[in-house]
Amino acid sequence: MRTDKDNLKTVLVTDCGSTTTKALLFQKTSEGWRKTCRGEAPTTVEEPVADVTVGALNAFTEIQEVSKRTLLSGDEVKAPFQITTADNASHGIDLYLSTSSAGGGLQMMVTGIVPQMTTESAERAALGAGAIVLEALSADDKRDDHEQIERIRHLKPDIVLITGGVDGGSVSHVEEMAELILAASPRPRFGNTLQLPIIFAGNKDAAEEVSRILADIAQVSVVENIRPTLEVENLGPAREEIHEFFLTHVMSHSPGYDKLLSWTPVPVMPTPAAVGDMVSGYAKRQKKQVLCADIGGATTDVFSVFKNEEGKDVFNRTVSANLGMSYSVANVLLEAGADRIKRWLPYEIEESEVRDRLRNKMIRPTSIPQTKEDLWLEQAVCREALRLSLEHHRSLAVGLSGTQKQKGISDIFSQRTNRYQLVDMMKLDLVIGSGGVLSHAPERMQAALMMLDGFELTGVTEITVDSIFMMPHLGVFSSIHPEAAEEIFVHDCLIHIAHAIAPVFPSGISNGKEILEIRAEGKKIGVVVAGEVMTIPLKEGVEVELELVPLHKKVDIGAGIGSTLLKRITPGLHGLILDGRNRPLQDTSFSVENQQHVYQSLGVS
Amino acid sequence: MSRVLVPGLKILPRTEIRKRRELPLEGSVVVEVGQNVTSDQVVAEANVPGELFILRLPERMGIESFEVIEGMKVKEGDEVQKGDLLCEHSGLFGLLHTRFQAPESGTIEFIARKTGHVGLRLPAKPITVQAYMAGVIEEVDAGKGCVIVNKGTFIQGIFGVGRECTGHLHVLPVENNHEVQPSDIPDDVRGALLAGGARYTLEALRVAEERGAKGIITGSIDDSVLAGYLGYELGIALTGDEDVAMTLIITEGFGFLALSDHIRTLLDAHNGKEASINGATQVRAGAIRPEIIITSTEGLEHLSDTSDEEQGLRVGGEVRIIRVPYFGKRATITELPHEEEQIDTGAHTRVLRAKLSCTEEIVTVPRANVELF
């Protein structure tokens, strides 16, 4: 197979998910790189098949049938693909790649000393590497030792990441955490005969003793300290080691993966890590600040790239493990409360009815809404899941101030660092929605409204959805050919719905007052009215320069309070959404009539 | 009269049932292949390692860790009794004398040289695994578990809470669409698995528990009643470990839904017999649904044997609709269009047409929203 990007013309990529294996064919056409075909089949990691390649081959066969291109060689064990040659360009592929989240993905436990310092850094490293963090333990945990030990033993993580202590700092607390892990002796999920993989990324002075303590129960790998000083976070080495262990310990012991790994010259990536690479690479190349949410049945992943105080792009990923649209839908109900879900509905419904309907969705997760009222209820749940998962993301996506800042004596005693939130919605350029409820909403405007409401977008933000959850495939492809991956991302993956224009203004400005004027190429095309939501159609795909002029000295649209913002945009399907509802959205401003008005104003029927 | 729910749910009047019984850790299997077992018979046993206490001796004794190491009176692997001297230290020319005694009996698992911490492992606790279902031992996996086989009725519910238990079936003389009240619970239901009705009030559940019932099998449950019974709200459908006196299995869903006639017929046929039930539910890949097992086919001789293979949709087949606007209604499939159709939400999806049994109206329903019945 070829991995030199100049010679690639046909690339087959799979994402082996928990339930479905999705295969995509990417090809260099006369118009550039495009997704040309798609096939899918149920994932086969569980009994009775217990071999991931069976599902993958079924997906390949579907692509072969639809595309009329012969891809398979018949040798399913060693080399299942025909390789394209100069005299046989209409057959075969140049390269096969894959991502995987089958079998529950990569599950990790992390430990640190202080929750908002090393433990949090450990969490960020694990999440950024595509893991689900089962537990984040800190040395100051309030539970008794035996309770913590019981918890660790119960978890069965794939990998444990131990951090703690700046270099030259505390040794004893880190060693105590190692003792706890020794006492618990957790077994890895796969490969019962294997030792548990443990990565130590803490105080270098503790590395030797931690390795000694854990030598009998684990394979310990020591990497650079994740937090060498209070102000510096060094996630790279820990993330790379997590990927290495993922391949050598987790993937290779999952059913059939030894065969799958032999089919591709490029390491199989955890699905969320591939999505993260796609998002961060796109943000970097386009110089945009990006937020991406993938809302699934059980979990919601949030990815973001925001600039830190030094102007550098910082990538973050979080997983809200129990916020989802089917298996976890009742947990959204539990965390948000029925009233918060009901507030988005344009019709009256009893709370008990909401609760029973969502419980029934939980126990029959594959059922779909048949009536508009039922659809709107699911979309209301989605708004709350997005809101809660963004809250979670904000708490972990933090920047650390540089060493040039003086720290007070109280900061030293409290071990407080200059943490600041990276997520700044006013500076967000692009939001990407993914997952069935967003990607398959019957009307694109419904998806836009869910993200506008759930994230409470402010300023000027482009709203898009991922058409068929192609980002994992593009993420792993971007590791070989970033330009081609981005071309497909823009042309075939992203559906550009609209640009939201949502100014922020003082609560003293009453509803009905005009607060922002919109000009396009110098001509007035509309105004944002306080309390109102409306759309302005623009020609799709034709770049235009917008001039956004506050009509009140205290209105902010992103250029500073009272200042005019100039912004070049390429409009999507629905042009502009002007949102005059002030932020944060207040519970008191909701009523069935208001929601009916919002739906009608945006043409959501 | 073979009826199978898709996707996944099974109602099998006469079938071969196999249960794998496994120890959570290596131990010994105490039955042999071919042996008959009763549901309450122990089939395997093991010792679970006791809790590990980390004794932070430097902090507890007010001395340095190296002084702890110097003063240790025991070594790794030693068994100690509660009150035994573990460490002794004399300081300030013997004027300050500190001692540390074992707070519990156990084994010294480790003595950390740098921190001075001592790991004390408490004695192992024996655990046993019962057969849960009467039958014959078909297979033994030495040290791990066994497989029991028997013939009988196997019914999956849609949702449950509580652990596995056995008892005698007691079908209440109430209609399938009746809401069970405290007055419907007989005085003597000790050890019984109560079956019947559309749902229970919270008071009825409490009365059943007070009178000693071990389980409830009913059509549905109100979300607030479940929260009231458990004492908290469930977030995700992952159950089976709830600390409740009665295992609860619902067969239809949340809200108010009558127990299905088919399940009621089977329960009536087995009234008074021993049944094994388990509320464990996991609605994810590799789904687990709650189960009702009756290892008897007596009274069901007129039914043919059934396998648990899933059946597909077919014209003439009976379905239950599992989503509004026809939630809970039964219907007979009249047409299975091949092409996707647009439904009221605006989505395009594959549908079927079916005649509602209550009104004979023919309705269009997404295929994803029916279960074969």
Side-chain angles (χ1 to χ4, degrees), chain A residues 327 355 359 364 370 374, chain B residues 223 233 252 283 323 364:
Chain A
Y327 308 112
R355 299 172 77 89
R359 291 272 179 214
R364 292 183 168 104
Q370 184 174 357
D374 213 22
Chain B
D223 176 65
E233 288 198 50
E252 318 297 313
V283 191
R323 193 89 189 211
T364 300

Side-chain angles (χ1 to χ4, degrees), chain A residues 263-307:
Chain A
W263 290 356
T264 171
V266 179
V268 173
M269 289 178 81
T271 302
V275 175
D277 280 5
M278 191 64 230
V279 171
S280 58
Y282 179 74
K284 188 177 176 186
R285 287 185 291 276
Q286 296 292 319
K287 298 186 170 55
K288 286 183 175 176
Q289 303 195 60
V290 179
L291 181 72
C292 172
D294 174 24
I295 179 163
T299 63
T300 298
D301 277 43
V302 178
F303 307 84
S304 74
V305 178
F306 282 95
K307 293 201 183 299

Side-chain angles (χ1 to χ4, degrees), chain B residues 172-180 196-199 258-259 264:
Chain B
L172 297 177
V174 296
E175 295 295 319
N176 291 347
N177 62 356
H178 174 76
E179 183 170 54
V180 178
R199 69 179 187 186
L259 180 71
R264 173 64 185 260

Side-chain angles (χ1 to χ4, degrees), chain A residues 53-169:
Chain A
T53 61
V54 173
L57 283 165
N58 289 340
F60 302 155
T61 305
E62 192 170 314
I63 285 203
Q64 192 168 250
E65 285 168 4
V66 175
S67 68
K68 313 284 187 217
R69 185 181 180 91
T70 307
L71 307 177
L72 301 173
S73 66
D75 177 3
E76 293 171 4
V77 180
K78 289 182 180 168
F81 305 110
Q82 289 195 24
I83 304 300
T84 306
T85 56
D87 55 347
N88 190 15
S90 61
H91 287 67
I93 59 170
D94 296 314
L95 178 63
Y96 169 65
L97 303 165
S98 190
T99 62
S100 174
S101 59
L106 170 61
Q107 302 189 358
M108 288 184 63
M109 187 186 95
V110 303
T111 72
I113 295 181
V114 181
Q116 290 202 329
M117 290 173 63
T118 44
T119 312
E120 198 176 86
S121 293
E123 249 186 294
R124 276 193 285 271
L127 287 164
I132 290 169
V133 176
L134 299 169
E135 178 80 51
L137 277 182
S138 296
D140 64 354
D141 196 289
K142 298 289 182 281
R143 288 171 290 189
D144 285 345
D145 288 338
H146 71 271
E147 288 174 317
Q148 292 186 64
I149 291 165
E150 202 57 43
R151 173 74 183 139
I152 298 168
R153 188 179 293 153
H154 187 69
L155 289 176
K156 286 200 166 187
D158 295 318
I159 301 170
V160 174
L161 173 62
I162 302 176
T163 68
V166 297
D167 283 342

Side-chain angles (χ1 to χ4, degrees), chain A residues 445-482:
Chain A
M445 187 57 94
Q446 291 168 346
L449 188 54
M450 280 184 264
M451 287 185 270
L452 182 67
D453 289 343
F455 292 141
E456 296 200 17
L457 300 176
T458 55
V460 182
T461 317
E462 183 176 9
I463 304 175
T464 64
V465 288
D466 174 358
S467 56
I468 53 167
F469 197 47
M470 213 188 293
M471 284 192 287
H473 307 75
L474 293 173
V476 66
F477 185 34
S478 72
S479 68
I480 299 295
H481 199 330

